[in-house]
Amino acid sequence: MATTIKKPEEILDILKKACGRRELLILATPYLRFESSFVAVEAEELHVLATMSREDAIYGLRTPDLKIRFPHGLGFYEAAVTSIGLGLHEGRRTVRVSIPKVIKENDQRVAYRVERVGRVPVTFGTPKANLHVAGLVDISTSGAQFHAQREVPAEEVGPGDQIVLDIPLSDQIKIHSGAIVRHLSGQRIGVQFTPKLPPDIEAPLSRWVFLGREEERERAARRLEEANAPELRMGTLLPEMSIVLVSLDASLEATLREVLQNIRPLIRLAPAVQELKEALQGKPSLVLFHINGTGLDERRRMKTLTEIAQRKVPILLLGTRVDGATLFELSGEWKASSAMVWNPERATFLQRLVQGILRRHEAGGDSPMAPREDQS
């Protein structure tokens, strides 16, 4: 359950404090995410560190569904913002976004637990002053769970007892704290930090847990992609669930086939109505429309083709010899899921973008019948 913060003065106070800490944040679109950090609040705009290329900052964030996520205390905040453009603050290149009107805060009564913690030793002392060694199972900002090397006798420790523990989570986060035993089952012990962790430990732990949560989002998304990936039978790529490239450029096809080979098989079609209609019967997962010019005839032809495809499958405009602003306008007019200017240096960006579109569409977040978020 989330609570919402709507008072402008409270929102500004949260953002200014986050800027003062240079707090980390995630810039997230429906298809992409960028790790960044707070820089400053200035002239009713929020400056965040530009960690992406200029082109990605200008066009990749131009979507009505842009959000920021960041840790706060024992929980996390999320807010919808609008990209305003590039900026500069005290010599640092920034991305300027709007001040959010609402900030949503997760329910801090149930802190998020990170389960992928690696091999972290735990030492704890019982009320009878006996020391035990354990392995960390999971951890949150409010407590932890660990597995003792041997079963602890019931008369030595039980639920409600106060213990002392050491958890060297990382070089920067070394927890030495009192804790209350909340549950005990065999060698598995769950505790709540008591008293509350000091700020110099709680703040970096909150960031560590926040990043663990973001990584789990990515893992869940990758699992979805793998579950929806097309099968390979007898060395032959099935047309169903493939990516269709509408283009006359065979060299672009060869390049994209290599870039996207670990995502979906690629099939190139000439920009012709009948070929596209037949290809759509094979239920492709995405159609890439190669935009190699913006002359009137080219626009009319591609608009006709995109109108055929857009109600059945997500579409992506891939531009060469086209400026980003023009391509962005076309993506809005033709209701494309996204758009980007292509060059080989942007291969990784294209991979991430395609994976994001497939992930959202196959999870049911995109309807081919509805207008799509635009970005480049």
Side-chain angles (χ1 to χ4, degrees):
M1 180 180 178
T3 58
T4 57
I5 300 168
K6 297 182 178 180
K7 292 183 179 180
E9 59 272 21
E10 289 186 27
I11 291 173
L12 278 176
D13 184 58
I14 289 169
L15 298 179
K16 288 178 179 178
K17 286 180 178 177
C19 290
R21 298 192 303 271
R22 288 292 190 264
E23 189 62 84
L24 72 88
L25 66 81
I26 300 295
L27 284 163
T29 78
Y31 312 123
L32 297 166
R33 59 190 291 278
F34 301 94
E35 190 172 317
S36 181
S37 60
F38 286 88
V39 175
V41 174
E42 189 177 80
E44 299 188 2
E45 297 175 353
L46 174 62
H47 287 256
V48 303
L49 192 64
T51 57
M52 66 295 292
S53 70
R54 176 184 176 86
E55 194 167 43
D56 293 346
I58 294 174
Y59 299 111
L61 300 177
R62 279 180 75 175
T63 165
D65 281 347
L66 179 63
K67 289 182 172 62
I68 58 173
R69 296 195 293 265
F70 57 99
H72 177 80
L74 300 181
F76 313 103
Y77 281 149
E78 181 174 275
V81 295
T82 301
S83 176
I84 298 172
L86 294 174
L88 196 67
H89 183 82
E90 296 180 351
R92 307 181 80 185
R93 193 169 64 91
T94 64
V95 173
R96 295 153 47 231
V97 300
S98 63
I99 301 296
K101 292 181 171 57
V102 174
I103 290 180
K104 292 184 178 180
E105 179 182 21
N106 76 306
D107 190 341
Q108 295 186 11
R109 291 174 298 178
V110 182
Y112 181 83
R113 287 187 175 271
V114 177
E115 296 180 346
R116 290 175 176 259
V117 294
R119 298 175 64 87
V120 178
V122 177
T123 304
F124 65 97
T126 68
K128 295 192 175 184
N130 293 324
L131 287 178
H132 295 267
V133 178
L136 187 64
V137 175
D138 60 46
I139 190 167
S140 72
T141 51
S142 62
Q145 188 171 199
F146 42 86
H147 187 89
Q149 286 186 352
R150 60 182 179 83
E151 191 167 339
V152 183
E155 63 272 14
E156 188 174 336
V157 68
D161 286 346
Q162 179 88 34
I163 64 173
V164 177
L165 72 162
D166 283 289
I167 307 176
L169 189 61
S170 70
D171 291 341
Q172 294 75 36
I173 306 172
K174 298 184 184 299
I175 299 171
H176 178 74
S177 173
I180 297 291
V181 176
R182 291 305 183 196
H183 62 84
L184 188 152
S185 177
Q187 294 168 252
R188 187 70 63 95
I189 303 172
V191 302
Q192 178 183 356
F193 299 134
T194 305
K196 182 180 175 182
L197 295 175
D200 62 331
I201 296 296
E202 182 184 271
L205 177 60
S206 177
R207 296 186 191 101
W208 190 90
V209 170
F210 172 75
L211 287 175
R213 178 174 177 262
E214 288 294 318
E215 289 170 2
E216 181 54 38
R217 283 182 182 225
E218 287 295 299
R219 281 192 291 270
R222 285 196 295 270
R223 288 194 294 268
L224 177 65
E225 290 167 16
E226 291 168 1
N228 287 285
E231 297 179 7
L232 301 181
R233 297 178 183 169
M234 298 175 63
T236 302
L237 296 177
L238 299 179
E240 187 171 344
M241 299 297 289
S242 59
I243 295 173
V244 171
L245 171 65
V246 179
S247 174
L248 292 172
D249 193 334
S251 62
L252 178 63
E253 174 194 8
T255 301
L256 295 185
R257 190 182 298 278
E258 184 175 348
V259 170
L260 303 175
Q261 62 181 343
N262 293 326
I263 302 175
R264 298 288 162 90
L266 182 75
I267 299 172
R268 182 172 66 90
L269 304 177
V273 169
Q274 190 57 38
E275 284 196 38
L276 179 59
K277 286 182 176 179
E278 291 176 0
L280 291 174
Q281 292 177 7
K283 298 180 181 179
S285 54
L286 175 67
V287 178
L288 306 180
F289 285 95
H290 177 205
I291 310 299
N292 194 35
T294 55
L296 186 57
D297 289 342
E298 176 76 1
R299 286 196 187 201
R300 284 175 177 170
R301 178 174 58 173
M302 283 299 182
K303 183 178 181 181
T304 299
L305 295 172
T306 57
E307 286 175 348
I308 292 170
Q310 68 185 216
R311 293 184 177 275
K312 297 182 178 181
V313 65
I315 64 175
L316 167 63
L317 305 189
L318 201 65
T320 56
R321 298 194 299 178
V322 180
D323 69 273
T326 301
L327 196 65
F328 176 80
E329 291 174 4
L330 292 177
S331 74
E333 180 184 342
W334 297 346
K335 298 181 175 63
S337 289
S338 189
M340 66 170 283
V341 175
W342 166 254
N343 61 59
E345 290 74 27
R346 304 194 74 198
T348 300
F349 182 87
L350 177 62
Q351 289 172 339
R352 293 175 58 199
L353 181 56
V354 167
Q355 288 173 324
I357 293 172
L358 295 178
R359 177 188 310 157
R360 184 173 171 86
H361 177 66
E362 290 163 0
D366 264 344
S367 168
M369 301 292 290
R372 304 181 185 283
E373 299 83 353
D374 302 315
Q375 65 186 127
S376 166

